[in-house]
Amino acid sequence: MTEDTNVRPPLIDGNKDFQQVTEDICAPMERRPTNLWWVAILVSSSMLLLGVVAVTYQVATGIGTWGLNNTIGWGFDITNFVFWIGIGHAGTLISAVLFLFRQKWRTSVNRAAEAMTLIAVMCAGLFPVIHMGRAWLVFWFAPYPNFRGPLWVNFRSPLLWDLFAISTYMAISAVFWYIGLIPDMATIRDRATTKYRRMIFGILSFGWDGSQRTWSRYETVYLLLAGLATPLVLSVHTIVSFDFATAVIPGWHTTIFPPYFVTGAIFSGMAMVLTLMIIARSVMGLQDYITTRHLGAMCKIVLTTSMIVGLAYATEFFIAWYSGNPYERFTFINRALGPMGWAYWIMVGCNVLVPQLLWFRAVRSNVAVIFGISIFINIGMWFERFVIITTSLSRDFLPSSWA
């Protein structure tokens, strides 16, 4: 018999059985931390401490430390907010959307992507709180019964829609992530060698027994949550884009922003998943589970969304020219050729030009090159938000305020 060349290669390398898969996946959790792990914890803790010191100084001094002034009402704070919300989209895309489309390759990366979503949304939520300048008044965000008479939040403001959309997204994503983890918790429970470990994971696994009825109910709930989470991929960043699209600032009030923001979010989120997964597969020895086929599939999504983002950049310039509005034209000329033009060309180079390398199969199978491209995309997508926010505000209608 001749070998069938049309048969797809297996998703996991090494011809492993279920027992080997369980051993390999549980091994990083069951072995003692190495010296390298402690060094990584020390470095990350030092960076966290630096962040705490910086934010404490900013709260004590004022939000002007972020570069905010009379002209630029939003700066690094909202730039970081939009950036992290975008990062959080890949987890739901990989888990929910690809699950509904029965894409089996998602199973090697979906748990980590879901965890990344939760962490990214929590990071994003910090910045509007700090942006207030008085973080202890954050409860003013919420529409709760109060004794201030008719003083309520503005239900017509997209900023309030952000609060509802992101909190809903966070809740659904957290439940979706945890429901998916329950069988895994039960596996760790059954492998536990200490009483306390067995008790903790017994509680976390909700008494999972692996019966047919349990699996049937689990799959039903997982499917329903995937259906709930999928519209959130589109709605959350669409509502974030309304923060800009409903304004009257030249360069902002445009109907292209909702699809442009959603595509850019998926683009940046997939790049961040690539960054983290390449590190994880190398450090944890998971090359057989996160293969070049998985990385190649994610690269194709990155390439597709990169081209859509590039089209959006070009469309913005065309609309500015076609509109005949001198303020709109000036905004985009200033973005590309003004004093902050360097940020615009970093954005275009990292988001449009660099990803074109992914057309080549040799690039999509080279892990080191993919890692480098993902880093460039992360940088480029941060600069995209910086360009949209800070560059558009830095030169408003009055040249006297341009300083």
Side-chain angles (χ1 to χ4, degrees):
M1 294 177 64
T2 59
E3 183 179 354
D4 187 354
T5 57
N6 292 323
V7 176
R8 289 185 176 182
L11 289 173
I12 295 176
D13 293 337
N15 295 320
K16 299 179 185 293
D17 57 25
F18 292 131
Q19 178 65 27
Q20 288 175 303
V21 171
T22 302
E23 294 286 346
D24 292 344
I25 298 302
C26 291
M29 292 180 285
E30 294 175 344
R31 61 176 174 243
R32 296 181 65 84
T34 62
N35 291 334
L36 181 61
W37 187 89
W38 287 110
V39 169
I41 285 292
L42 180 63
V43 171
S44 59
S45 300
S46 301
M47 295 174 68
L48 174 62
L49 180 61
L50 177 62
V52 170
V53 170
V55 171
T56 302
Y57 172 76
Q58 184 268 331
V59 171
T61 307
I63 56 176
T65 58
W66 251 333
L68 276 62
N69 52 43
N70 288 339
T71 307
I72 302 176
W74 288 352
F76 277 10
D77 45 5
I78 307 302
T79 297
N80 290 328
F81 164 72
V82 180
F83 174 78
W84 283 111
I85 286 294
I87 295 298
H89 273 57
T92 306
L93 173 82
I94 289 176
S95 285
V97 179
L98 297 184
F99 173 76
L100 294 175
F101 281 97
R102 296 296 187 262
Q103 296 296 308
K104 301 295 185 183
W105 62 266
R106 63 178 276 283
T107 55
S108 288
V109 296
N110 69 313
R111 292 286 179 268
E114 291 164 11
M116 184 197 75
T117 289
L118 299 178
I119 295 167
V121 172
M122 286 189 284
C123 287
L126 291 174
F127 289 99
V129 175
I130 303 169
H131 172 75
M132 293 180 65
R134 295 175 175 84
W136 51 91
L137 298 178
V138 65
F139 62 91
W140 284 8
F141 278 179
Y144 66 96
N146 61 80
F147 299 100
R148 293 191 292 272
L151 186 61
W152 283 82
V153 292
N154 183 4
F155 287 98
R156 294 176 294 178
S157 170
L159 298 174
L160 187 63
W161 307 346
D162 271 350
L163 176 65
F164 296 143
I166 293 168
S167 58
T168 303
Y169 183 61
M170 177 74 178
I172 295 295
S173 297
V175 173
F176 187 51
W177 168 74
Y178 192 82
I179 291 294
L181 279 178
I182 289 176
D184 305 334
M185 298 287 189
T187 299
I188 301 171
R189 174 200 65 196
D190 296 341
R191 293 174 55 87
T193 56
T194 65
K195 175 183 176 182
Y196 293 108
R197 190 179 179 91
R198 192 178 303 112
M199 180 183 68
I200 291 170
F201 284 100
I203 294 170
L204 294 176
S205 61
F206 289 105
W208 177 275
D209 60 5
S211 67
Q212 176 62 35
R213 185 174 68 171
T214 303
W215 273 109
S216 176
R217 292 179 175 177
Y218 164 81
E219 290 173 357
T220 300
V221 172
Y222 198 76
L223 181 64
L224 289 173
L225 286 172
L228 279 173
T230 298
L232 294 176
V233 177
L234 302 176
S235 68
V236 172
H237 227 56
T238 296
I239 291 174
V240 171
S241 77
F242 288 168
D243 295 346
F244 305 90
T246 59
V248 294
I249 303 296
W252 283 11
H253 58 286
T254 171
T255 55
I256 198 177
F257 263 23
Y260 168 22
F261 269 48
V262 170
T263 306
I266 295 171
F267 177 53
S268 61
M270 292 300 294
M272 185 64 80
V273 170
L274 279 170
T275 302
L276 298 178
M277 288 296 94
I278 288 172
I279 295 174
R281 77 191 289 270
S282 176
V283 172
M284 299 182 184
L286 299 175
Q287 288 84 351
D288 288 342
Y289 299 94
I290 305 172
T291 66
T292 53
R293 180 181 171 189
H294 295 96
L295 300 180
M298 288 190 282
C299 284
K300 290 176 183 178
I301 297 176
V302 167
L303 178 59
T304 302
T305 48
S306 168
M307 291 189 291
I308 297 174
V309 167
L311 176 64
Y313 294 162
T315 303
E316 283 188 310
F317 269 89
F318 171 77
I319 299 248
W321 166 79
Y322 191 70
S323 68
N325 185 328
Y327 300 105
E328 200 79 16
R329 289 182 179 180
F330 172 80
T331 295
F332 286 94
I333 293 172
N334 180 60
R335 279 187 188 179
L337 303 176
M340 293 188 183
W342 54 271
Y344 179 84
W345 293 111
I346 289 176
M347 174 189 81
V348 171
C350 292
N351 295 342
V352 181
L353 301 181
V354 171
Q356 300 308 310
L357 295 171
L358 297 174
W359 280 104
F360 304 102
R361 185 188 297 271
V363 172
R364 295 198 305 270
S365 59
N366 189 315
V367 178
V369 175
I370 294 172
F371 182 76
I373 292 173
S374 70
I375 293 294
F376 275 110
I377 293 172
N378 292 329
I379 294 170
M381 288 307 295
W382 188 90
F383 271 102
E384 179 194 281
R385 282 61 183 246
F386 178 80
V387 166
I388 290 173
I389 294 168
T390 305
T391 306
S392 298
L393 294 174
S394 63
R395 290 188 164 186
D396 61 2
F397 296 96
L398 297 175
S400 59
S401 64
W402 289 2

